[in-house]
Amino acid sequence: MNNQAETIFSAIVAAPFGAVGIRTEAARVRELVYLPPHFGEKDALDAVAELAAQQVAHYLLDPDFRFTLPLLDAGSVFQRKVWDAIASIPRGTVRTYGQVAKHIGSAPRAVGQACGANWFPIIIPCHRVTAAGGLGGFSHHDDENGFHLGVKRWLLAHEGAGKGPWQQQSIFN
């Protein structure tokens, strides 16, 4: 683990794609971050971080696990509207940015930006939103062979999403 991780994260959980960093503040989860494999695990510093670490680990074993974590208020009114729509997408299915946009009365690009600004990935499953003709981006990254899209592919496969571009070239299989 590096010194920055020691100070930024309240806990780090190992994952098949690398790790998940957990930040807490005021007895709530402030943020979850996908971390590359060179980040080591870190024991929880507080009770909320411990609960979040346990729940993240449980989800990584069971894609049907439902999170019950106290989340810090984050995002704009629009972002929260997008995140609420994303949270309603069932495990094992995907929606396009356009479908989510139509559902909430917005534009696909705005939905994509809100997805990328998600402070609570996995809990608010923005990985379930793809482009109409492919995987799309993830966490404001769009390098097809990069770490973040590899995480998106792994999460979709973990949740049993049907056939699609996410099944190609996963660097974590």
Side-chain angles (χ1 to χ4, degrees), residues 117-137:
N118 179 3
W119 289 84
F120 311 107
I122 297 179
I123 298 170
I124 298 171
C126 53
H127 57 274
R128 296 178 188 162
V129 184
T130 66
L135 189 57

Side-chain angles (χ1 to χ4, degrees), residues 7-54:
T7 59
I8 290 179
F9 298 109
S10 306
I12 298 177
V13 177
F17 48 78
V20 177
I22 299 165
R23 294 178 68 195
T24 60
E25 178 182 313
R28 296 183 180 278
V29 175
R30 175 192 169 120
E31 179 181 24
L32 297 180
V33 179
Y34 297 118
L35 301 170
H38 67 271
F39 282 84
E41 290 184 79
K42 177 180 178 180
D43 290 337
L45 298 178
D46 57 62
V48 172
E50 177 66 30
L51 181 63
Q54 290 171 355

